[in-house]
Amino acid sequence: KAGVTQTPRYLIKTRGQQVTLSCSPISGHRSVSWYQQTPGQGLQFLFEYFSETQRNKGNFPGRFSGRQFSNSRSEMNVSTLELGDSALYLCASSPGLGTGNTIYFGEGSWLTVV
Amino acid sequence: KQEVTQIPAALSVPEGENLVLNCSFTDSAIYNLQWFRQDPGKGLTSLLLIQSSQREQTSGRLNASLDKSSGRSTLYIAASQPGDSATYLCAVRRGGSNYKLTFGKGTLLTVNP
């Protein structure tokens, strides 16, 4: 069974640009969540999607957005990039929303903003 | 607001030693607690999941305990090996309508041959 797949793995963007990251969950998983990881702040929750609807959102500005498609694949978008957006963005999937099941993470997308 | 603290931030031990990593959380209204491992430059690998009604979970050389009332969890690693070197993170999932995970900042473990 394939794991959580994130693309691209590495990317470099310039301040002011926008970026879209993609996540394909484990087959059969319907919940996808996104996290930002930085050395200073650690892992912080961005948002969670289930059945194409955003169910929870973390404390990030509106420049951070996401969506989920009918096949459970998800994308997140960051507009007007700032230097502080440089981070590892991790996607995770689980079978359902708020279940007691294990959550599985992808390898992440490394974003560098210059 | 839930806060998760992991102590120590870094730990270096000789191979073969048994060790304990600590995780504490401020809000005991949790749904479950999960321990993860992260290797440098990689994503997170789930190690153990403990439901709020459980006291402990075991997998191989790993044993995780949960004391919800005191807001503490420990991850016990028996007979440590150099391959156990990684950052270990704990995360709590709260109950209610908000299911997000709140992570600690991790413990960087180095096992020396």
Side-chain angles (χ1 to χ4, degrees):
Chain A
K1 200 174 194 181
V4 179
T5 304
Q6 292 188 244
T7 57
R9 289 294 320 280
Y10 305 92
L11 65 166
I12 300 174
K13 290 286 188 178
T14 304
R15 267 185 306 176
Q17 287 186 314
Q18 73 166 18
V19 66
T20 299
L21 309 177
S22 179
C23 172
S24 293
I26 292 172
S27 178
H29 285 194
R30 297 172 64 194
S31 174
V32 173
S33 51
W34 289 88
Y35 292 81
Q36 181 196 65
Q37 186 176 32
T38 59
Q41 298 297 317
L43 271 151
Q44 294 186 287
F45 172 77
L46 281 157
F47 25 66
E48 181 171 22
Y49 287 87
F50 180 80
S51 294
E52 302 177 65
T53 302
Q54 186 181 92
R55 301 293 178 147
N56 289 297
K57 191 178 192 311
N59 297 322
F60 278 82
R63 300 186 296 107
F64 291 81
S65 63
R67 59 178 175 169
Q68 186 181 34
F69 302 95
S70 58
N71 61 359
S72 294
R73 191 177 71 84
S74 177
E75 289 181 347
M76 68 163 282
N77 183 77
V78 187
S79 62
T80 319
L81 284 165
E82 301 177 359
L83 296 179
D85 297 332
S86 295
L88 175 64
Y89 290 88
L90 290 163
C91 168
S93 78
S94 64
L97 183 68
T99 67
N101 291 304
T102 298
I103 184 170
Y104 297 90
F105 280 82
E107 295 278 281
S109 292
W110 284 96
L111 171 64
T112 301
V113 182
V114 298
Chain B
K1 179 188 171 188
Q2 178 73 274
E3 292 183 4
V4 180
T5 304
Q6 292 188 246
I7 294 173
L11 181 64
S12 181
V13 302
E15 183 177 1
E17 192 161 298
N18 301 326
L19 58 102
V20 174
L21 306 181
N22 297 292
C23 171
S24 62
F25 46 94
T26 54
D27 185 350
S28 62
I30 64 169
Y31 195 78
N32 58 41
L33 183 146
Q34 199 162 344
W35 282 92
F36 295 90
R37 166 189 173 133
Q38 186 174 31
D39 292 286
K42 302 287 189 180
L44 278 66
T45 301
S46 177
L47 298 173
L48 289 164
L49 170 70
I50 310 177
Q51 304 294 351
S52 62
S53 58
Q54 297 176 319
R55 297 284 294 182
E56 65 179 284
Q57 281 286 338
T58 298
S59 176
R61 294 183 295 108
L62 305 179
N63 176 276
S65 68
L66 173 64
D67 184 343
K68 213 174 73 160
S69 61
S70 67
R72 294 175 189 271
S73 176
T74 61
L75 178 66
Y76 174 82
I77 302 176
S80 59
Q81 303 170 357
D84 294 332
S85 297
T87 297
Y88 290 80
L89 298 125
C90 73
V92 297
R93 186 183 287 270
R94 61 173 291 174
S97 60
N98 186 339
Y99 298 112
K100 74 171 189 177
L101 284 174
T102 302
F103 282 85
K105 294 203 172 177
T107 294
L108 175 60
L109 173 65
T110 303
V111 181
N112 302 300

